[in-house]
Amino acid sequence: MRQPKVGLALGGGGLRGAAHVGVLKVLQAAGIKIDAVVGSSGGSMVGALWAAGLSPVEIEHIYHNLPTNLFPAAGCYINLILYILQRLGFLRRYELQGLTLPRGLLRNDFLSAFINRHTKGDSFNQLAIPAAFLACDLLSGKDVIFAPEAARSSLWQDRKKQFFFSDQSLGTAVASSSAIPGLFLPVRVAGRDLIDGGLKANVPVHLLQAWGTKVIIAVDLGYAVEDSSADTIIQVLLQASDIMGQTISDLRLEASGAVIIRPQVGTMNLYDFHRIPEVIDIGAQAAEQALPEIKRALRQLGCLPPPWFRLPAGNSKQE
C-alpha cells in the first residue's frame, strides 16, 4: 500500500463530531485531495461514512436526520436502579438473585447497524479512501487498530502494545471506537471487550505518521469549555472521557507537525441533535480559517501550484 501524501485525522467529541462534516465540505470545495483518514470516537463515525464514498453533502443529510434513539438505554439499565435501591435498604424484603451493576448505561449496537446500513456493509479493504480507526482493549489497555489489511505492516508496529483488525465491519469499528466507558456497553470483538479510542488518542495523528503521511490535517474538537455544567452522569462521563484523551492528544499533535483545525463547538450533550446544523457551520468556519496554512503545506509538498499560477486561457478551472 503506497504512503498517503495527505492525511486527515478526525478527533473525538460525541455529537460535536458533526463539525467534521463542515470541515469536509470546505476541503472538498477547495479541491484538496485526501489520501487517508483516521479517527477516534465521534471522528470515526464521520470518517467511516466518508471513506465509504459518501459525499460531505450526503453525510450532512445523514447527520441532519439522525434518529433520536440512536443510543437506546441498555437492557440492564434497570439493574442499576434496583441495585441502588437494594444498597440503600429499600429492597431488603426481596431476594434479587444475580443482581449486578450494568457495564454501561447505553447500547451502541444501533450505531453499528446504522453505520453498516449507510456504508452498504463495506469492509476496510473495499473503501474508497483508506481509513484507520482507533479503539482500546478494556483489560490490557492496548491500542486496537481497525484498518485495511494492506496497512498492517505500517500501522501494526508493536504487537505487545497493539491489536490489529482488518476483517471487521465499519460499524463494529465505529461502535468500538465510540464506546465511552461507563456510558456505553463495551463492544465484544474476537473475545475482547473494546472501548473508546479517545482514551488512547483523541486525535490519532500517530496512525498517519506510522502510515508515512507527508501532510497531516488534524481536526481537534478539544473538550467542553471549563465553565460548562456537568449536571448528569452522562455529562460527567462525556467530560471525563474528553479530558483523559486530550492530554495525550495535545502531546501527539505538537510532535506531529500537523495543520490543526480547532472548531470552537463548546458544550454539547449526547442528545443535542438540534445543534447539529450549527456545529457543522462551526466546523466549516474553522476549516476556512485554516485553509491558507493547509495550502502552504500542500505547496511545499508540490500538491498545489503556487498562488500566482493561473491555468491557460480557455480553462476556467482555477485554484
Side-chain angles (χ1 to χ4, degrees):
M1 185 175 185
R2 65 182 180 85
Q3 293 181 335
K5 289 184 178 181
V6 184
L8 181 64
L10 303 178
L15 273 187
R16 288 181 292 141
H20 297 315
V21 182
V23 172
L24 291 179
K25 290 175 67 177
V26 170
L27 294 180
Q28 182 186 63
I32 295 173
K33 181 180 181 296
I34 302 297
D35 301 308
V37 61
V38 301
S40 286
S41 197
S44 70
M45 181 171 173
V46 176
L49 295 170
W50 189 50
L54 279 75
S55 70
V57 171
E58 290 172 319
I59 300 172
E60 181 178 28
H61 178 75
I62 289 172
Y63 264 76
H64 282 175
N65 294 278
L66 283 176
T68 55
N69 65 342
L70 186 61
F71 304 115
C76 54
Y77 182 65
I78 188 64
N79 276 14
L80 175 60
I81 299 173
L82 294 175
Y83 184 89
I84 293 172
L85 291 175
Q86 186 185 60
R87 298 298 293 178
L88 292 175
F90 292 109
L91 296 179
R92 285 177 180 168
R93 290 186 300 170
Y94 301 94
E95 288 293 332
L96 298 175
Q97 300 295 329
L99 185 62
T100 60
L101 281 172
R103 304 184 74 197
L105 300 178
L106 302 173
R107 291 162 45 201
N108 50 18
D109 52 339
F110 276 54
L111 176 59
S112 176
F114 180 83
I115 294 295
N116 284 337
R117 182 169 70 253
H118 283 289
T119 59
K120 299 179 181 179
D122 284 354
S123 72
F124 277 88
N125 301 311
Q126 298 171 301
L127 296 177
I129 301 171
F133 304 126
L134 185 66
C136 175
D137 178 53
L138 176 61
L139 295 184
S140 70
K142 293 181 179 181
D143 287 9
V144 179
I145 301 168
F146 295 91
E149 182 62 31
R152 181 184 293 267
S153 60
S154 298
L155 301 186
W156 198 18
Q157 296 188 337
D158 190 340
R159 300 195 177 199
K160 293 182 179 180
K161 296 181 179 180
Q162 297 172 321
F163 293 113
F164 185 95
F165 293 108
S166 63
D167 58 349
Q168 299 296 319
S169 70
L170 287 172
T172 296
V174 171
S176 301
S177 184
S178 305
I180 298 172
L183 182 56
F184 292 106
L185 294 171
V187 178
R188 193 77 171 168
V189 176
R192 299 190 175 277
D193 289 324
L194 306 188
I195 55 175
D196 189 1
L199 297 175
K200 303 295 292 184
N202 212 30
V203 189
V205 290
H206 66 291
L207 296 180
L208 289 175
Q209 290 176 296
W211 229 331
T213 309
K214 304 301 182 184
V215 174
I216 297 175
I217 303 169
V219 186
D220 179 19
L221 301 178
Y223 52 89
V225 292
E226 293 179 5
D227 60 352
S228 63
S229 62
D231 300 325
T232 69
I233 186 173
I234 290 179
Q235 290 173 306
V236 169
L237 290 169
L238 285 170
Q239 183 79 349
S241 178
D242 282 351
I243 291 172
M244 284 187 288
Q246 195 62 35
T247 301
I248 300 171
S249 289
D250 287 344
L251 296 173
R252 282 181 162 160
L253 283 170
E254 184 177 350
S256 69
V259 178
I260 305 173
I261 302 173
R262 287 191 167 99
Q264 300 300 308
V265 177
T267 306
M268 191 172 185
N269 296 327
L270 192 63
Y271 294 102
D272 283 346
F273 295 97
H274 65 281
R275 286 198 59 207
I276 284 177
E278 170 199 349
V279 172
I280 291 175
D281 288 342
I282 291 173
Q285 293 166 14
E288 289 282 2
Q289 294 173 1
L291 265 183
E293 186 178 356
I294 294 171
K295 289 184 176 182
R296 279 195 297 270
L298 294 177
R299 287 190 183 103
Q300 291 175 358
L301 188 64
C303 294
L304 280 180
W308 45 260
F309 177 81
R310 292 293 182 269
L311 291 171
N315 190 334
S316 61
K317 184 178 180 181
Q318 297 181 1
E319 181 196 352

